[in-house]
Amino acid sequence: MSALRTSGPARAGQYLALLAYLVFLAFPFLWLVSTALKPAPELASLHPTWIPEDPTLDNFRQAFDEQPLLRAAANSLLAAVCAALVAVAVATPLAYVTARHRGRLSGAATGWVVISQAFPFVLVIIPLFLVLKNLHLIDSVVGLVLVYVVWSLPFALWMLMGYVRAVPAELEEAAAVDGAGRIRTLVSVTAPLLAPGVVATALFAFVTAWNEFFFALVLLKSPEKQTLPVVLTHFLGAEGVADLGPLAAAAFLATLPSLVVFGVLQKRIAGGALAGAVKS
């Protein structure tokens, strides 16, 4: 028992390391907020400060005046929601079959997940562009959603397979013994236990699509169809000089949905793990 206990100095070191890690993660966001609230003279100062001496909301007003942030956010929201829903709708039954029936299909799906994650964006963008051009889906939100679905599907499949395997097969067998049919077993027994995992996977797919930049930059040409990450680049001047205050304000607003989604996601992941931890 003594070997399993953590000594006082060791526990203090663990908490200190955790605190340092949290500070490391929070630093970019806190600096972004500070920059968004600083007036132009403070941004140009050679001695930057953590806390704005004269905080202002002018950067937010200027950001909305200079760029169509609401329209871009609506485009990002539409693409992210559609991609998440379609990816989960396709991945859920495939993950169930793959996890419950081990064999060549399971091995092929796992290999697909690993290989797909190894390809960089720049390697697939040219053939992807040509395929979408033949389908007349260039400069189309539908084409962008299709790309997001294909790109997020391997990870969604891998994630849902873990949730399916966490649900004891004995529960389905017990339902079958009680006379429940296959469809009723899936709806009444399996689906409620998989619900937290499905929500968590959908949220991951949503955040991935919401933050994606490269595909949206290449595939969308019309200004009225561009997503929020692409519009943020418009705050950079022709010579690469950033309009720092409005850029920080717009980036802060673009970050908020991801933070909210991840806050919900953490609870859903914990709920999914507890749902699968059923003693058989």
Side-chain angles (χ1 to χ4, degrees):
M1 294 292 295
S2 59
L4 298 178
R5 294 176 181 174
T6 304
S7 62
R11 184 177 295 274
Q14 292 175 354
Y15 284 125
L16 183 61
L18 179 60
L19 178 61
Y21 183 64
L22 291 176
V23 171
F24 173 77
L25 292 179
F27 172 78
F29 180 73
L30 294 178
W31 189 257
L32 179 66
V33 175
S34 176
T35 303
L37 295 175
K38 289 181 179 178
E42 287 191 47
L43 292 175
S45 174
L46 297 178
H47 304 284
T49 58
W50 269 98
I51 301 176
E53 298 178 358
D54 186 19
T56 178
L57 296 177
D58 289 342
N59 291 324
F60 291 90
R61 287 190 287 267
Q62 185 177 348
F64 280 101
D65 290 340
E66 292 182 359
Q67 300 297 333
L69 296 180
L70 291 179
R71 185 179 64 195
N75 293 336
S76 292
L77 182 63
L78 176 62
V81 170
C82 292
L85 293 178
V86 175
V88 168
V90 174
T92 301
L94 183 57
Y96 179 83
V97 173
T98 304
R100 282 290 186 256
H101 304 282
R102 305 290 181 88
R104 293 183 179 180
L105 179 61
S106 179
T110 304
W112 176 46
V113 170
V114 174
I115 294 175
S116 64
Q117 299 304 307
F119 284 95
F121 287 1
V122 69
L123 190 63
V124 301
I125 189 60
I126 294 179
L128 186 61
F129 185 89
L130 294 176
V131 170
L132 292 178
K133 182 179 180 181
N134 293 331
L135 295 175
H136 304 287
L137 292 178
I138 298 295
D139 197 25
S140 168
V141 177
V142 175
L144 186 64
V145 170
L146 182 61
V147 171
Y148 287 166
V149 170
V150 174
W151 196 257
S152 62
L153 193 57
F155 181 80
L157 174 61
W158 173 79
M159 189 173 178
L160 284 170
M161 284 171 59
Y163 281 104
V164 173
R165 288 169 180 165
V167 177
E170 289 80 1
L171 294 177
E172 298 178 359
E173 296 172 358
V177 171
D178 291 338
R182 189 63 176 173
I183 301 299
R184 183 177 179 182
T185 299
L186 292 176
V187 173
S188 302
V189 178
T190 308
L193 296 177
L194 284 181
V198 172
V199 172
T201 304
L203 291 177
F204 262 121
F206 172 85
V207 171
T208 300
W210 175 269
N211 294 326
E212 200 283 323
F213 168 76
F214 184 68
F215 288 137
L217 177 65
V218 175
L219 299 178
L220 298 178
K221 300 302 180 182
S222 301
E224 64 273 10
K225 297 180 181 179
Q226 290 179 339
T227 59
L228 192 55
V230 177
V231 171
L232 291 180
T233 64
H234 297 170
F235 289 100
L236 298 176
E239 298 180 357
V241 179
D243 196 357
L244 196 56
L247 174 59
F252 168 72
L253 296 176
T255 305
L256 287 180
S258 297
L259 294 178
V260 173
V261 167
F262 268 117
V264 177
L265 179 63
Q266 182 181 6
K267 298 179 181 180
R268 291 297 182 179
I269 291 177
L274 292 176
V278 180
K279 184 177 180 181
S280 57

